[in-house]
């Protein structure tokens, strides 16, 4: 993936972060996923007064991409203060549609600071239904 494509995905995650709904934690997160056909879909965290119902930005982005017809994801950018890596639940959710996807973690306060890894590094053994 070239630098321009990475930058575009990062910009999408940063913009999505500006739409985060996080009045309880005040921790704003944006995410963007890239599908194999080049389509970018974004998402932001959406909290709820019933805290446990909160949706992480990554899962919002993946659900939106899949609902729009994408099934194969090749990269994720996630933007938050300090840069964060996806939580465990999101790793499992992401792995369904791209177990080896590139993961770009962006510090929203300093968007040139990006750390790069892959989902199989972060989450080498996703759960799969046996026989599937
Ligand atoms: N959050 C995400 O959106 N993605 C992550 O990878 C970790 C956490 C959200 C959930 C909650 O709204 C806030 O960050 C604080 O946990």
């Amino acid at each position: 993936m070239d630098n321009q494509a990475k930058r575009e995905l990062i910009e999408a995650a940063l913009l999505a972060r500006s739409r985060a709904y996080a009045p309880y934690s005040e921790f704003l997160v944006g995410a963007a996923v890239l599908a194999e056909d080049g389509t970018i879909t974004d998402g932001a965290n959406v909290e709820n007064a019933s805290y446990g119902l909160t949706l992480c930005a990554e899962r919002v982005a993946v659900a939106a991409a899949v609902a729009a017809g994408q099934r194969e994801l090749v990269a994720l950018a996630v933007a938050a203060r300090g840069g964060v890596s996806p939580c465990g639940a999101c790793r499992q959710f992401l792995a369904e549609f791209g177990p080896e996807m590139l993961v770009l973690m962006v510090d929203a306060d300093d968007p040139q600071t990006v750390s790069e890894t892959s989902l199989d590094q972060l989450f080498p053994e996703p759960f799969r239904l046996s026989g599937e």
Side-chain angles (χ1 to χ4, degrees):
M1 196 173 159
D2 66 31
N3 279 338
Q4 198 191 321
K6 286 181 189 172
R7 217 56 246 176
E8 211 179 310
L9 194 63
I10 288 166
E11 290 305 324
L14 288 164
L15 183 62
R17 180 174 178 267
S18 69
R19 298 188 291 264
Y21 176 73
Y24 305 105
S25 72
E26 297 183 350
F27 193 74
L28 310 177
V29 186
V33 289
L34 176 68
E36 37 80 36
D37 71 352
T39 306
I40 290 176
T41 307
D42 64 29
N45 54 333
V46 182
E47 297 188 344
N48 191 272
S50 178
Y51 296 170
L53 298 182
T54 289
L55 300 173
C56 290
E58 295 92 324
R59 272 180 283 169
V60 171
V62 170
V66 173
Q70 303 298 340
R71 293 280 174 90
E72 212 177 303
L73 304 178
V74 297
L76 162 79
V78 56
R81 198 188 317 126
V84 293
S85 75
C87 78
C90 286
R91 293 177 191 195
Q92 173 68 29
F93 204 82
L94 288 157
E96 185 86 12
F97 302 103
E100 292 172 4
M101 73 176 76
L102 177 69
V103 177
L104 304 171
M105 296 168 288
V106 189
D107 181 350
D109 292 333
D110 176 15
Q112 298 308 317
T113 302
V114 179
S115 52
E116 203 172 307
T117 185
S118 62
L119 190 56
D120 55 312
Q121 287 273 323
L122 291 175
F123 196 61
E125 291 188 36
F127 169 73
R128 292 187 209 289
L129 284 173
S130 49
E132 295 280 304

